Amino acid sequence: PPPGDQPADHHNTEAQQPPLLPRLLSELFASLDAASAASLPSLSPSPLVSAVRSSPRFLQGQHDAHDLFLYLLDQHPPLSAAFAGGLAHTLRCCECEGERGSEEAFVCLSLPHAERASLTASLSSYLSPSRVSGLRDKYQCMRCVTRTEATITTRITHLPKVLALHLRKCP
């Protein structure tokens, strides 16, 4: 049978063969790449769908394309390196103006996206300073030991080779 139609052998080690999902994707893309535009082959996604559905991560609950994307990156570290970027978050106390920072790695930025908003507007909204306020959300400043409002600012410290954006619907 063709390589994509072979049953999955779950006893193979990674040293013998690449993980199933990246291998199936590679075979699918190789088939598409080898075909001319005029004679695209009829390809069945069944082996790929079966591999995803048998993953413990996808056995329960509802999942979207973003979940699948993150899963595929987890399965193929060399690919995920192209999407690796860095963020810095700065929290500033509104009382004493003391700052606390943190850094975080990302492979995909999840942006709030209002209907009819441009991509630039969504990215600007994500990177704009926002206020931490309200009775339950007040910030406990370690410097002035006050429960107060704060401003949080996010900036991109390292752009990945490939920037993936996930647009979340928001009102």
Side-chain angles (χ1 to χ4, degrees):
D5 293 341
Q6 292 176 349
D9 181 0
H10 299 289
H11 301 290
N12 282 349
T13 63
E14 286 189 24
Q16 293 172 332
Q17 193 171 31
L20 180 63
L21 216 43
R23 183 172 50 84
L24 289 172
L25 277 173
S26 294
E27 291 169 3
L28 177 67
F29 290 132
S31 297
L32 289 171
D33 193 37
S36 70
S39 64
L40 282 175
S42 173
L43 300 172
S44 171
S46 297
L48 185 61
V49 171
S50 295
V52 170
R53 283 188 178 152
S54 67
S55 165
R57 188 168 173 175
F58 290 96
L59 287 178
Q60 295 180 359
Q62 184 175 345
H63 303 282
D64 61 12
H66 182 244
D67 296 325
L68 178 61
F69 174 70
L70 294 176
Y71 174 71
L72 292 173
L73 290 181
D74 285 347
Q75 296 297 305
H76 200 5
L79 178 62
S80 65
F83 292 88
L87 294 174
H89 306 285
T90 304
L91 199 57
R92 174 179 243 166
C93 175
C94 291
E95 285 290 319
C96 70
E97 296 190 2
E99 292 184 349
R100 188 177 78 189
S102 64
E103 293 187 6
E104 149 185 36
F106 73 90
V107 292
C108 181
L109 292 180
S110 189
L111 308 178
H113 185 71
E115 190 176 333
R116 300 183 195 266
S118 69
L119 187 56
T120 302
S122 294
L123 190 56
S124 291
S125 173
Y126 179 79
L127 296 173
S128 293
S130 60
R131 196 89 167 190
V132 178
S133 61
L135 293 176
R136 292 188 307 167
D137 297 328
K138 285 196 174 178
Y139 168 64
Q140 177 70 47
C141 180
M142 298 171 102
R143 183 173 169 196
C144 68
V145 194
T146 306
R147 195 154 182 80
T148 184
E149 293 185 354
T151 303
I152 187 162
T153 306
T154 300
R155 64 186 173 85
I156 299 172
T157 57
H158 171 73
L159 274 174
K161 290 179 183 175
V162 180
L163 179 60
L165 301 174
H166 170 237
L167 303 177
R168 292 180 284 119
K169 285 185 179 180
C170 69

